[in-house]
Each structure stands twice: as C-alpha cells, then as structure tokens.
Amino acid sequence: MKHLVIYSSETGNTKKVAEAIYKVMPDETDLCNVGEVSSFDKYDFIAFGCWIDRGTADKKALVAIENIKNKKVAVFATLGAYPDSQHAVDSMERIKKLFIDNENSIVGEFICQGKVDPRLTEKFKSLPADHPHAMNEERIKRHKIAAMHPNDEDFANAQRKFKELFEK
Ligand SMILES: Cc1cc2nc3c(=O)[nH]c(=O)nc-3n(C[C@H](O)[C@H](O)[C@H](O)COP(=O)(O)O)c2cc1C
C-alpha cells in the first residue's frame, strides 16, 4: 500500500501542516504539492490538504480533487476563521462531499487556523462598513489570532489525528 500526502498552499500554512503530517506517516508515503501529481493510481490512501477559499477548497485543490477516485481520503485544511466555527464545519463538509461524490471514502479530517495574507486583511479594512467583509473589532481580533497559526499545537493535533488512522 502506498500513501500520499498532497497539499495546495498559497502562503505556506497548509504546506507546514502537510509536512507535520508527513512526519508521522508510514514509510511508504510520498509528499507532494498539488501541481506535482498527475496520476493517483499507485496510491491507496491520500491525505489531502487545501486552504479554504470562499467557503470551499482553493481552486488548485478543486482541480486535483476531480482526479481522485475510489481512494481512502483524509482531508486537512487551514482557514482564517476559527476551526470550531460553523463556517469551518460547512467548508469541510463541502470538501468532503466533493470526495464522496467521486466514490472516495473519508477516513479522517483536520482543520486549523492559518495566517491570512496581510494583503487580504488590508483590502477588507478599506471596505465600507456595510460590506459583508468589512473589518470590525471582532474580525480584527480573529485575523490577529489567525496570524499565530498554524502553531506547534496545531501540528501536534494534526499528527495525533493522522497517527490514529494507522493505529486502528
Ligand atoms: C482569496 C482568499 C480567500 C479566502 N477565503 C477564506 C474563507 O472563505 N474562509 C476562511 O476562513 N478563510 C479564508 N481565507 C484565509 C485562508 O484560508 C487562510 O489564510 C489559509 O491558512 C491560507 O493557507 P495557505 O497559507 O496554505 O495558502 C482566504 C484567503 C484568501 C487569500
């Protein structure tokens, strides 16, 4: 059985989580960026990582998901929102559904916060107050907290979850 840890990451957050997960995977595991894999045939288990873009997987991840069929998949993701928010739950459910619709089985999941690109934060700050993404005190606080993630605790939590999958 050959395993794959594959990730899509624009600013490095999801890549760091992928690298942490890779460290606890069995010997027969490859670590790749989404652009590097064209065929998933040789893999049985895929740990799939992406960042949340407008409530679902980012565009590069969406393209890769289309090519993954009949695999055991564990999804991991990073996002700006809190990991226990409804937005995080809904985003993860959307991604899992994409895999399930492609005849894959979901065997695990992990989500944590990731630093939001400061350019996006600045853009939000310039929006009028009545815009749905306008920055308010709560959002400024959330972006500040996101800026501290992923951290060592997130890496340890991700590793624990993925280790458990192979101890079953
Ligand atoms: C264009 C854009 C859209 C985003 N959309 C969302 C979103 O819908 N929900 C959310 O919680 N975070 C959102 N984020 C924040 C990212 O998901 C988060 O910063 C993530 O950790 C980035 O991962 P990366 O460093 O691997 O690229 C968005 C970021 C960008 C740049």
Side-chain angles (χ1 to χ4, degrees):
M1 189 204 267
K2 188 123 175 137
H3 313 290
L4 173 67
V5 178
I6 185 167
Y7 62 88
S8 173
S9 184
E10 207 58 39
T11 61
N13 300 327
T14 317
K15 181 176 188 222
K16 286 182 194 156
V17 177
E19 287 167 347
I21 290 170
Y22 176 68
K23 283 187 190 153
V24 298
M25 291 290 290
D27 286 344
E28 283 283 279
T29 302
D30 294 335
L31 173 66
C32 295
N33 188 302
V34 270
E36 294 170 339
V37 184
S38 51
S39 168
F40 295 91
D41 289 353
K42 67 177 170 185
Y43 301 108
D44 184 58
F45 173 93
I46 297 174
F48 188 94
C50 59
W51 56 279
I52 302 300
D53 181 357
R54 283 158 286 187
T56 187
D58 65 271
K59 288 190 198 75
K60 288 180 190 162
L62 289 174
V63 171
I65 292 171
E66 281 178 24
N67 295 320
I68 300 176
K69 296 190 173 78
N70 298 306
K71 307 289 178 191
K72 286 196 196 94
V73 177
V75 182
F76 61 98
T78 67
L79 83 173
Y82 297 120
D84 58 357
S85 63
Q86 193 57 46
H87 177 66
V89 173
D90 293 344
S91 302
M92 183 54 92
E93 285 304 314
R94 276 185 208 109
I95 298 168
K96 289 194 307 189
K97 186 175 183 309
L98 295 172
F99 280 107
I100 292 164
D101 288 349
N102 253 1
E103 314 294 331
N104 299 289
S105 57
I106 301 293
V107 296
E109 63 183 81
F110 174 78
I111 195 161
C112 70
Q113 263 186 306
K115 186 181 195 300
V116 179
D117 188 333
R119 286 172 299 184
L120 189 67
T121 306
E122 287 309 310
K123 199 172 135 192
F124 286 168
K125 279 184 185 162
S126 66
L127 294 171
D130 58 348
H131 189 281
H133 286 131
M135 288 302 256
N136 53 29
E137 271 191 31
E138 195 283 319
R139 287 211 170 98
I140 291 169
K141 182 180 163 202
R142 178 158 32 91
H143 281 228
K144 277 190 183 153
I145 292 174
M148 297 185 275
H149 294 269
N151 59 21
D152 287 347
E153 195 182 347
D154 298 319
F155 300 141
N157 287 337
Q159 289 180 328
R160 187 172 35 79
K161 282 223 165 176
F162 277 76
K163 241 176 161 170
E164 277 169 13
L165 294 178
F166 293 94
E167 285 165 359
K168 274 179 194 165

